[in-house]
Amino acid sequence: DTGVSQNPRHKITKRGQNVTFRCDPISEHNRLYWYRQTLGQGPEFLTYFQNEAQLEKSRLLSDRFSAERPKGSFSTLEIQRTEQGDSAMYLCASSSRGGPSTDTQYFGPGTRLTVL
Amino acid sequence: AQSVTQLGSHVSVSEGALVLLRCNYSSSVPPYLFWYVQYPNQGLQLLLKYTTGATLVKGINGFEAEFKKSETSFHLTKPSAHMSDAAEYFCAVKNSGGYQKVTFGTGTKLQVIP
């Protein structure tokens, strides 16, 4: 169990550029989640995948945001035409379906995005 | 709909004193409740969770929480604070149905004074 990993850990970009983040979940976990956390706030749910299917999406996920999990393993979160308001920590989490740890989400270290 | 309210964005305790972090929730169905801890520039680590069964839940690092349905509360306690407990703590709720969305509170920063 190597934990949830996220890359890059930090990203600085200029307004209007596109950025993509990657999340590798714990290997046996079939559920994957993306959250956004701004300074002084708790994480806010963005979206959820079960295997490759995107089953839940928050209204926070505007049309500039897209998430994929093509083979049911790693996931990517892309933000197009970034805005300064997109500056935040983007957290990925994974969980298993069934077993004693079901419903427990394990978080990665996050990707901190700064939009200049 | 579900929501979480954490009373007190900052709490200070002396080393060795009782830690009490308050959390109240709102949920239209029986809730699953969680406490997570976050150290600076790191992700969240699960401290403990309540799903069903015993209402007093014990977690890691000596923390525990009690689910009180009548008070819609899930307060986090630790008998004796250590310097290493200084961090930010988040209470979270998930409904026990099929939806996977977890709603977090705004967090409480715990300061431990030597």
Side-chain angles (χ1 to χ4, degrees):
Chain A
D1 178 357
T2 58
V4 178
S5 62
Q6 293 186 246
N7 287 288
R9 293 291 308 276
H10 302 274
K11 179 70 176 178
I12 300 174
T13 191
K14 293 182 178 179
R15 189 177 54 185
Q17 298 295 303
N18 298 345
V19 294
T20 300
F21 310 140
R22 176 177 169 128
C23 171
D24 287 89
I26 293 171
S27 58
E28 63 268 26
H29 285 181
N30 60 351
R31 292 174 166 172
L32 187 146
Y33 315 78
W34 285 98
Y35 291 83
R36 181 175 69 187
Q37 185 178 22
T38 54
L39 202 61
Q41 299 296 318
E44 296 173 291
F45 173 81
L46 292 178
T47 191
Y48 152 64
F49 290 86
Q50 181 162 300
N51 299 313
E52 66 276 9
Q54 188 174 20
L55 298 183
E56 293 178 41
K57 286 175 62 173
S58 165
R59 286 173 293 176
L60 292 174
L61 214 63
S62 76
D63 56 5
R64 295 185 298 105
F65 288 69
S66 62
E68 294 183 342
R69 195 182 182 200
K71 297 183 179 180
S73 57
F74 72 92
S75 175
T76 57
L77 177 68
E78 181 183 16
I79 308 174
Q80 296 182 326
R81 305 181 302 281
T82 53
E83 301 173 355
Q84 287 185 325
D86 297 331
S87 295
M89 176 79 86
Y90 290 84
L91 295 166
C92 177
S94 69
S95 71
S96 62
R97 183 183 179 190
S101 296
T102 191
D103 293 309
T104 299
Q105 296 183 19
Y106 295 87
F107 283 80
T111 294
R112 182 168 294 283
L113 173 66
T114 302
V115 181
L116 301 176
Chain B
Q2 57 196 35
S3 66
V4 172
T5 302
Q6 291 185 241
L7 295 175
S9 59
H10 290 82
V11 170
S12 293
V13 299
S14 298
E15 190 175 15
L18 171 71
V19 176
L20 171 60
L21 304 182
R22 299 179 186 273
C23 172
N24 289 87
Y25 70 90
S26 171
S27 177
S28 56
V29 299
Y32 290 169
L33 295 160
F34 308 83
W35 275 99
Y36 283 86
V37 61
Q38 187 176 35
Y39 296 97
N41 298 314
Q42 294 187 26
L44 284 77
Q45 180 183 8
L46 180 71
L47 281 177
L48 49 80
K49 68 177 182 180
Y50 168 80
T51 53
T52 58
T55 56
L56 181 62
V57 180
K58 294 186 184 299
I60 62 172
N61 301 337
F63 285 94
E64 63 182 36
E66 186 171 11
F67 169 60
K68 292 187 176 180
K69 184 178 178 181
S70 61
E71 298 177 8
T72 61
S73 69
F74 191 58
H75 302 330
L76 181 71
T77 61
K78 181 175 180 178
S80 176
H82 295 163
M83 295 300 296
S84 60
D85 294 328
E88 189 156 23
Y89 293 79
F90 293 94
C91 182
V93 62
K94 174 185 173 300
N95 77 47
S96 54
Y99 290 107
Q100 296 301 312
K101 175 183 176 181
V102 174
T103 300
F104 286 83
T106 52
T108 298
K109 280 189 179 174
L110 177 66
Q111 180 186 21
V112 182
I113 303 167

